[in-house]
Amino acid sequence: MTIDGKALAQSIKEDLRERVESLRLRYGRVPCLAVVIVGDNPASHLYVRSKIDAASFVGIDGMEIELPKDVSEEELLRTVSKLDSDPAIDGILVQLPLPRQIDPDKVLDVISPTKDVDGFHPRNVAYLHLGRPCTFPCTPKGIIRLIDSTGTRIDGKRAVVVGRSNIVGEPVAKLLQDRNATVTVAHSHTPDLAAITREADILVVATGHASLIDGSMIKPGAVVIDVGITRDGAKLRGDVDFESASKVASFITPVPGGVGPMTVAMLMENTIECFEQRMASLLSAPSEL
Ligand code: NDP
């Protein structure tokens, strides 16, 4: 069965819209998300548009800050720091990738962990791995929701994650382990990848290598989550060959319409959670209001 990420994301956003409305009644304002985009990469602009549109649907104030592709690192850091110290802003996201002259680590460092809606700040990453409360990165969080939506029990399952990036592979492996799956992480140096992927009850593929996984590499009845996005002209392709894989898997996400919409829905949820936590801490320290 195809897992309809678009429909799941839509129903989550509808619930979030009600949550935002009750926050508005309680605090007299709604969460505000600032999205910074540098340069004119068309894919990045599309992603930012979908985030701002989702914010508007949910009732979050979305603010888009566009900077030219030759902006200096210093100027970008100044812009992000200013947003960070603005009490009216609850969440900050800097769209990646950034142009070469900018070190993304320096940018992440100037966002307060409490406004880091992407969950990329070193403190949030460390807390995730330490099992302390933190903002989870959006894509891994969305992947767990997609698996849960199938009714599959993660506990005790054999999970394989292909890809070990800081934003997808590593954190989703940790979240699966936290749910008591036995997790193997494969990467570009893994010999005989098919032998590993065939052991997976839950297979998450995040490589950016189109159609890397086909049906012959999947255990019958597995749940398959395809994170990859590769542009092929006007078409988007995943890391999994949907046609052959869907004949073997019990559940599989399509590309597009699987992980992508859930990433955006989780960004909305993270923004709301950051707002709620900030409001709660401000109310407990009213002198800072
Ligand atoms: P990275 O390029 O940071 O990481 C890719 C990972 O895949 C690396 O760990 C790499 O191994 C591994 N890899 C590459 N080729 C192979 C191979 N042939 N066999 C096994 N492993 C391989 O990518 P990201 O994690 O940032 O993104 C992965 C994909 O997911 C991309 O297509 C991206 O566009 C998409 N994406 C989609 C999102 C969504 O919302 N739908 C969100 C984020 C990403 P090694 O470490 O050895 O180099």
Side-chain angles (χ1 to χ4, degrees), residues 13-255:
K13 286 189 291 182
E14 277 161 19
D15 290 347
L16 293 176
R17 184 157 65 171
E18 285 176 24
R19 192 157 148 195
V20 169
E21 180 53 19
S22 65
L23 289 171
R24 192 182 64 76
L25 294 173
R26 182 158 180 208
Y27 296 113
R29 76 172 182 91
V30 295
C32 177
L33 170 67
V35 181
V36 180
I37 177 157
V38 181
D40 46 17
N41 179 325
S44 292
H45 275 272
L46 266 178
Y47 292 140
V48 167
R49 179 80 344 248
S50 70
K51 290 167 186 176
I52 297 287
D53 287 350
S56 149
F57 178 83
V58 166
I60 290 173
D61 272 344
M63 183 196 277
E64 190 176 338
I65 299 105
E66 283 190 58
L67 294 170
K69 66 171 181 284
D70 58 354
V71 69
S72 67
E73 185 178 85
E74 200 188 350
E75 176 64 25
L76 176 60
L77 292 178
R78 214 179 5 252
T79 304
V80 176
S81 298
K82 216 168 135 196
L83 294 169
D84 196 64
S85 52
D86 185 340
I89 289 171
D90 306 290
I92 303 167
L93 176 158
V94 179
Q95 184 66 39
L96 300 175
L98 290 167
R100 270 182 202 185
Q101 73 275 17
I102 293 162
D103 177 354
D105 286 344
K106 286 194 190 163
V107 179
L108 289 180
D109 286 350
V110 297
I111 301 174
S112 297
T114 49
K115 292 192 179 187
D116 167 37
V117 284
D118 258 338
F120 293 165
H121 187 280
R123 194 183 86 178
N124 281 321
V125 175
Y127 278 19
L128 170 73
H129 286 275
L130 292 167
R132 293 172 61 170
C134 64
T135 301
F136 290 166
C138 304
T139 303
K141 191 177 179 188
I143 291 169
I144 300 295
R145 296 279 182 92
L146 284 162
I147 299 167
D148 283 339
S149 77
T150 67
T152 302
R153 192 174 147 82
I154 297 175
D155 195 313
K157 291 285 174 359
R158 187 74 205 275
V160 172
V161 178
V162 188
R164 56 174 167 179
S165 72
N166 290 335
I167 62 169
V168 190
E170 287 291 352
V172 81
K174 173 68 172 123
L175 293 179
L176 286 164
Q177 207 174 357
D178 288 348
R179 294 283 297 273
N180 297 322
T182 301
V183 184
T184 301
V185 178
H187 46 75
S188 68
H189 295 246
T190 302
D192 199 359
L193 182 63
I196 310 267
T197 57
R198 267 190 228 114
E199 290 178 358
D201 303 307
I202 296 168
L203 178 62
V204 178
V205 192
T207 68
H209 190 124
S211 301
L212 175 69
I213 306 290
D214 65 28
S216 72
M217 300 168 77
I218 294 171
K219 179 177 178 178
V223 175
V224 178
I225 307 292
D226 186 356
V227 187
I229 304 172
T230 304
R231 278 175 199 280
D232 184 0
K235 259 186 86 182
L236 293 184
R237 290 177 63 195
D239 290 354
V240 178
D241 172 47
F242 187 87
E243 204 183 312
S244 61
S246 58
K247 294 191 174 106
V248 188
S250 61
F251 293 96
I252 181 167
T253 55
V255 176

